[in-house]
Amino acid sequence: MAVAGDAPSMGDFGAILGFGGPPRDVEWKWRAPSIPPPFPQVQPSDNVPPALPSWLTDYVPTTDVPPSLPLENTIRGLDSALRKAKGLHLPKPLLDFQARVSRTTDLDGIRSIIAETGLDLRRRPEYSRVCFDHLLEQGKSLDVLADFLSDAGLNNAEAHNLKNLIVRSGRHDLTSVEMESLSKIVKQALIRGTVCDPEIRALLKYFPAAVGGVVGPEQTQHLKTYGLQVVWEGLKSCPVLAPSDLEVDTLELFLFQLSQQPFSDMVRTIGIEIITSASNTQLQMMGDGLSSFIVSWVHGWRDQEAVAKDDAPTPVLIPHLHEMLTLLPDGLAQSTCTATTEKLVEQMRNAGWTKLPRRLLCPWMATVKRSMSTHALQKPEDPWKVIENFLPQHRQYQLAAAYLHETFDVEIGEFIIRHWVPEDKASVAKVFRTLCEESDEDKAFANIALSLRECGKPTEEVMRDTFRLLRFLGRPEAIVRTTRCLVKDGITITPRLLAIEIQHLSNTSPALALQLFLCHSGLRLEGCKELVFSLINDPGSNTPTTFRLLRRQEMLTKKAKTASSCLSVSEIALVHEMALAFAYAPHLTPRMALRQSSKCYWYLQRHRAPIGCDISQALTHAGITRALKSGYKVGWEKINFILDLVRELEGDEVADELDQAVYHWRGRAISESMEERRRYR
């Protein structure tokens, strides 16, 4: 390898590119690539200076530890600074101003000091705070404080003077005059728009408590609600800022405060106005406050309004709550209903309740169901799942009825299979859907039993649940129609199951109860006494119907007339009770009541059954007592017949007393009727 003795530097671009050449006195020599280039060797010498400067090599670190400085108290803001003593490090001009203000005794003196110093309190909130705190310490009247707060040159919104006034006022009981003055101050400040969101939230926390201390505890909650009303009216009347311009935390805190008050029309109105004035974005961020307000609404309505009884056929809707839920967006309505249901259930779980109160949840679930019909909700069953997961046994029929109100029969059938069929639900549901497609919709509930039979499952428990659910849904005609279909298809139904439904139907619809009774040949009148008495006391029913039922029962049991009694003990007791019911039926005339009671007597006589004192009492009341009270004449033949029966059943002593009483009573009734005739002549 040929190299130059002195290679050209990197800066010599001409030599490198060939435009120039090396100096003429430089000779080229060849050197092997493995031989390193020679480096200049530095000879050690004693006179060579050190490599480091002397100021660095001669430095010796000191071992003295400087004394620690005392830590100053941290001042976290204007409020903390002005609450501390004079020892804190406040600016000297502020301390001087505070000293001058402390020597004044009225508002005019403060104005004079401000005019002399030339301060602009609109830009200096700490000075405005000093002036207002001085007036509070002096115990000035609310009129003076209102004058200060209304002066834009003195009051600075950042000083939070209104908040301090409310906090100070809440430390002692106010009079009625002071309460009105304080309410006026708060409302005017909100109308002027000089109150910021943090101060509004402070007002929501402290102002209701300050106003509530005016009177005793029985009216405290009402006055707290009045305090919230004052704040809301001030916010609504503000021409500068609308309620929708407030922060989400402010509106949500307002709903939280309303939920803690006793529910009333005022609370409901304020809450609805807050919800309707907020934007959709704000409502999406106020879910917790919305659900808390609705929970208090549900509890308050249950405590104040007359809620329907537990056996009411139709679920009761909570007034105005359905309209409010329809105002919410679809997704928000879904989440709000679910969150509200979760809170209701959580309150019940914390209270240690083992059963859900139907008087509370049924109206709520009915309202949710109604609101869902107006929203395009993707998962309308979510609120029900909250309750369903809480229940140890899914047989809360009234809750299910509240959810399934105004639902098609097929959907109700799927709900029953999904919740109350113990096992193999998928196969039963598949068979049920196939049967519903092939048959009429009227047979939807009968198809439940048919699908269970095809899958080899028992039908008794599920049909019991079905009938009870239909009862709470207010569908008695569906029970009768389903029973007829089941009997026609040969599915066994126990008389006890139908007797329970007949007992409930007898109080509301005796005609449907009679139809249900006639559907099953195994039912007996002594097991359905409520049906018998409802037919007797119903003016619209045919009176001889009960005796036709008795004869039908005889034919079904195939009992022949023999020398001994062919009636059981329960049947004999039923006939005695029927005689008393006929005698005391208010819609029957005395003559008709006596005729029907006599039929009971002759019915027992024909079957050679023992006759008790109830028969004599029924005949006495219908044939003598009711006739004399109504002004009818009672013939001696009728009286002698009844007296002989009383003597036979109750004894001579009772018969003699009745004879004497009837004699005097009949004579007095005859004389009164004759006297009335003379008057009209």
Side-chain angles (χ1 to χ4, degrees):
M1 178 177 179
V3 295
D6 294 329
S9 63
M10 294 301 296
D12 192 359
F13 293 99
I16 295 174
L17 298 177
F19 296 104
R24 295 179 180 178
D25 56 351
V26 177
E27 296 181 0
W28 289 89
K29 297 180 180 180
W30 182 88
R31 183 178 294 126
S34 61
I35 300 176
F39 289 97
Q41 299 293 328
V42 180
Q43 299 295 331
S45 176
D46 297 336
N47 298 327
V48 177
L52 296 176
S54 59
W55 62 268
L56 184 58
T57 57
D58 298 339
Y59 173 75
V60 178
T62 179
T63 59
D64 298 335
V65 179
S68 58
L69 298 177
L71 298 177
E72 296 183 357
N73 295 329
T74 303
I75 301 176
R76 298 185 179 275
L78 178 61
D79 296 349
S80 301
L82 294 180
R83 283 197 301 266
K84 301 297 182 180
K86 294 182 179 180
L88 292 179
H89 298 282
L90 295 179
K92 187 175 183 306
L94 181 59
L95 291 174
D96 296 340
F97 180 79
Q98 186 178 12
R100 293 189 60 183
V101 170
S102 63
R103 292 191 292 269
T104 61
T105 59
D106 55 2
L107 187 58
D108 294 335
I110 294 177
R111 286 194 174 98
S112 300
I113 294 174
I114 294 174
E116 292 175 1
T117 55
L119 292 173
D120 188 4
L121 269 61
R122 292 174 295 183
R123 299 181 179 178
R124 309 297 294 272
E126 63 274 13
Y127 288 86
S128 176
R129 176 69 176 273
V130 167
C131 297
F132 194 76
D133 285 350
H134 174 67
L135 294 177
L136 289 177
E137 293 175 357
Q138 292 290 327
K140 298 300 181 181
S141 63
L142 290 176
D143 295 335
V144 176
L145 299 177
D147 191 7
F148 181 93
L149 294 174
S150 61
D151 192 345
L154 296 177
N155 183 34
N156 191 308
E158 298 180 3
H160 303 297
N161 293 324
L162 182 60
K163 170 189 172 182
N164 297 335
L165 173 60
I166 300 303
V167 173
R168 293 281 186 100
S169 301
R171 295 175 182 174
H172 64 277
D173 295 339
L174 301 176
T175 63
S176 300
V177 178
E178 291 176 342
M179 182 197 70
E180 294 178 0
S181 301
L182 189 62
S183 303
K184 185 177 180 181
I185 291 173
V186 172
K187 189 173 183 179
Q188 289 179 352
L190 293 171
I191 292 175
R192 289 193 299 268
T194 58
V195 185
C196 55
D197 277 275
E199 195 167 8
I200 294 176
R201 290 193 287 270
L203 287 177
L204 293 175
K205 293 180 180 179
Y206 298 111
F207 180 63
V211 176
V214 177
V215 293
E218 64 277 0
Q219 298 182 3
T220 297
Q221 295 296 333
H222 174 71
L223 291 176
K224 287 183 179 180
T225 306
Y226 169 74
L228 294 174
Q229 182 188 16
V230 170
V231 176
W232 178 245
E233 289 180 354
L235 292 174
K236 285 196 308 180
S237 305
C238 178
V240 181
L241 298 174
S244 58
D245 298 327
L246 298 175
E247 297 179 359
V248 176
D249 294 341
T250 304
L251 295 176
E252 190 171 18
L253 179 60
F254 218 130
L255 292 178
F256 276 124
Q257 293 292 331
L258 288 174
S259 63
Q260 296 175 5
Q261 310 304 321
F263 192 79
S264 60
D265 294 340
M266 183 188 302
V267 172
R268 183 192 66 217
T269 302
I270 296 174
I272 293 177
E273 290 179 353
I274 292 174
I275 294 171
T276 54
S277 62
S279 62
N280 290 341
T281 304
Q282 290 174 325
L283 289 175
Q284 295 289 346
M285 302 171 65
M286 293 163 51
D288 198 10
L290 274 172
S291 58
S292 298
F293 174 68
I294 296 176
V295 167
S296 67
W297 191 337
V298 175
H299 280 285
W301 178 79
R302 184 199 62 174
D303 296 338
Q304 293 181 2
E305 300 293 335
V307 185
K309 297 182 180 179
D310 290 345
D311 56 353
T314 305
V316 181
L317 297 177
I318 302 177
H320 308 290
L321 184 55
H322 159 63
E323 290 80 359
M324 193 276 292
L325 291 175
T326 56
L327 300 176
L328 301 178
D330 292 344
L332 181 60
Q334 171 74 41
S335 60
T336 301
C337 292
T338 304
T340 303
T341 308
E342 291 176 351
K343 287 188 176 182
L344 289 171
V345 173
E346 186 65 25
Q347 290 178 358
M348 300 163 198
R349 186 184 290 111
N350 295 336
W353 294 354
T354 57
K355 294 183 179 180
L356 295 179
R358 292 175 291 181
R359 293 171 63 88
L360 175 67
L361 281 180
C362 285
W364 163 243
M365 293 304 298
T367 306
V368 170
K369 181 67 176 179
R370 179 65 64 85
S371 65
M372 285 180 180
S373 61
T374 59
H375 288 284
L377 300 182
Q378 299 178 355
K379 296 180 179 180
E381 69 277 3
D382 283 352
W384 170 254
K385 285 183 178 180
V386 175
I387 302 176
E388 179 187 32
N389 296 333
F390 176 76
L391 297 177
Q393 296 180 353
H394 310 309
R395 280 177 169 80
Q396 290 286 341
Y397 304 105
Q398 193 173 10
L399 287 178
Y403 177 75
L404 297 173
H405 185 57
E406 298 181 354
T407 306
F408 294 108
D409 293 351
V410 178
E411 297 178 5
I412 298 175
E414 293 176 349
F415 180 90
I416 293 172
I417 295 174
R418 186 169 62 251
H419 293 89
W420 293 331
V421 172
E423 56 185 7
D424 201 8
K425 301 179 181 181
S427 59
V428 176
K430 183 178 179 180
V431 176
F432 173 75
R433 286 191 293 269
T434 304
L435 292 175
C436 290
E437 293 175 357
E438 298 175 354
S439 61
D440 298 334
E441 188 178 358
D442 296 341
K443 294 187 62 177
F445 303 115
N447 289 334
I448 298 175
L450 293 175
S451 59
L452 288 171
R453 186 176 64 177
E454 290 189 13
C455 296
K457 306 296 180 183
T459 61
E460 182 68 21
E461 294 293 330
V462 179
M463 295 313 300
R464 182 200 64 182
D465 298 331
T466 303
F467 285 166
R468 291 185 181 181
L469 180 59
L470 292 175
R471 183 206 313 164
F472 284 104
L473 283 171
R475 303 277 302 277
E477 70 284 349
I479 299 176
V480 177
R481 185 173 61 249
T482 303
T483 303
R484 290 173 178 171
C485 294
L486 294 178
V487 173
K488 182 179 179 181
D489 294 332
I491 297 179
T492 304
I493 306 177
T494 58
R496 182 180 179 183
L497 174 60
L498 295 180
I500 295 174
E501 301 304 323
I502 291 173
Q503 177 182 357
H504 288 87
L505 284 177
S506 299
N507 300 324
T508 57
S509 179
L512 288 176
L514 178 59
Q515 294 180 20
L516 186 59
F517 178 84
L518 297 175
C519 291
H520 200 286
S521 59
L523 291 169
R524 301 186 63 83
L525 287 177
E526 55 267 25
C528 303
K529 293 183 179 181
E530 292 79 6
L531 172 63
V532 176
F533 299 143
S534 63
L535 292 175
I536 292 175
N537 296 317
D538 184 19
S541 63
N542 191 5
T543 304
T545 303
T546 53
F547 295 100
R548 286 199 294 267
L549 293 177
L550 287 173
R551 288 192 294 270
R552 172 181 176 271
Q553 184 166 305
E554 291 179 16
M555 295 175 61
L556 292 175
T557 53
K558 297 180 180 180
K559 289 185 177 181
K561 298 180 181 180
T562 59
S564 61
S565 175
C566 63
L567 298 179
S568 63
V569 177
S570 58
E571 289 176 327
I572 295 173
L574 175 62
V575 175
H576 282 76
E577 294 177 1
M578 288 173 55
L580 288 174
F582 279 123
Y584 286 89
H587 67 283
L588 296 178
T589 62
R591 182 176 296 178
M592 184 63 69
L594 178 61
R595 181 180 301 173
Q596 301 302 324
S597 299
S598 300
K599 284 184 178 181
C600 295
Y601 169 71
W602 294 115
Y603 182 84
L604 294 173
Q605 285 280 58
R606 185 170 63 252
H607 291 83
R608 300 179 183 181
I611 300 175
C613 299
D614 291 339
I615 296 295
S616 60
Q617 293 177 5
L619 295 177
T620 302
H621 182 77
I624 299 177
T625 305
R626 290 187 61 178
L628 293 177
K629 285 184 176 180
S630 301
Y632 294 104
K633 293 182 180 180
V634 182
W636 283 111
E637 294 181 359
K638 185 187 300 182
I639 293 176
N640 292 331
F641 169 76
I642 296 175
L643 287 176
D644 292 341
L645 184 61
V646 171
R647 194 180 305 277
E648 178 183 353
L649 298 176
E650 302 183 42
D652 296 337
E653 183 178 356
V654 177
D656 294 338
E657 292 179 358
L658 178 61
D659 188 7
Q660 185 177 1
V662 169
Y663 178 79
H664 293 290
W665 197 357
R666 182 174 179 273
R668 186 169 60 252
I670 293 175
S671 60
E672 290 178 357
S673 61
M674 294 177 63
E675 185 67 26
E676 289 181 1
R677 290 179 181 179
R678 292 193 191 99
R679 292 177 183 175
Y680 285 109
R681 289 179 181 176

